[in-house]
Amino acid sequence: MAGVVGKLEAEMEVKSNADKFWSAIRDFATIFPKTSPSIYKGTHIIQGDGKAPGSLMKVTLDLGHELDVKTVTERIEDVDDAKRTIIYSVIDGDLLKYLKSYKGYISVTPKGDNNGSIVKWWCEYEKASQEVPEPILIKEFAYKIFPNVDDYLLSK
């Protein structure tokens, strides 16, 4: 039986300008553990530089959720620095106990007059079975992480 295909989206305003926030997204492996140490327990670049397409990163997490997701391996699929957009997929780890596939997207757009940015995150996924709950925790995760990144950047 095929799993259920779905999409989740999140959008938020941040105070940091788009270039600065985009730089933090691009430096995910270093910045995210600093901004959210209670969630990001570690990142390890397995292949590449952690920024270019084809790069692989193993991420250790504590999501504090009933879904037992402690590690994921992510692959950067595509990056467009001009459009400040990144596409990544989860290729291994605990999340794939629940989802057959997961592809995430992040874009950062200037809000205007250098007064902040709009951060959009969305994902496409296929659940491993109909019994698997909707992966709302991933969307909640985005709403926790991006404000932390913004606060970190504003304090610099």
Side-chain angles (χ1 to χ4, degrees), residues 18-149:
D19 289 333
K20 192 171 187 179
F21 203 90
W22 176 243
S23 292
I25 296 296
R26 297 290 281 125
D27 198 16
F28 154 87
T30 302
I31 299 293
F32 281 38
K34 288 180 182 177
T35 65
S36 302
S38 64
I39 297 171
Y40 278 89
K41 298 302 182 184
T43 57
H44 175 71
I45 297 171
I46 299 169
Q47 178 179 306
D49 63 1
K51 297 177 183 181
S55 292
L56 299 176
M57 290 177 284
K58 183 174 183 176
V59 182
T60 305
L61 302 161
D62 182 359
L63 299 179
H65 195 274
E66 66 266 14
L67 294 181
D68 187 29
V69 177
K70 301 244 187 275
T71 64
V72 294
T73 301
E74 298 179 348
R75 177 177 50 225
I76 297 175
E77 301 293 344
D78 194 25
V79 176
D80 186 331
D81 285 318
K83 293 182 180 177
R84 296 182 202 88
T85 302
I86 188 167
I87 303 170
Y88 63 98
S89 61
V90 173
I91 61 167
D92 194 17
D94 299 328
L95 188 64
L96 296 184
K97 293 182 212 172
Y98 309 102
L99 303 178
K100 282 185 184 178
S101 64
Y102 173 92
K103 186 175 279 191
Y105 305 78
I106 300 170
S107 72
V108 182
T109 307
K111 198 168 134 197
D113 294 334
N114 219 13
N115 288 329
S117 318
I118 304 294
V119 180
K120 293 181 184 178
W121 166 90
W122 66 101
C123 74
E124 298 166 347
Y125 61 88
E126 181 179 1
K127 296 192 315 184
S129 71
Q130 291 186 345
E131 291 75 34
V132 171
E134 293 300 315
I136 300 299
L137 82 136
I138 301 170
K139 181 177 178 176
E140 293 169 352
F141 184 66
Y143 277 116
K144 288 179 186 175
I145 297 301
F146 294 139
N148 291 351
V149 171

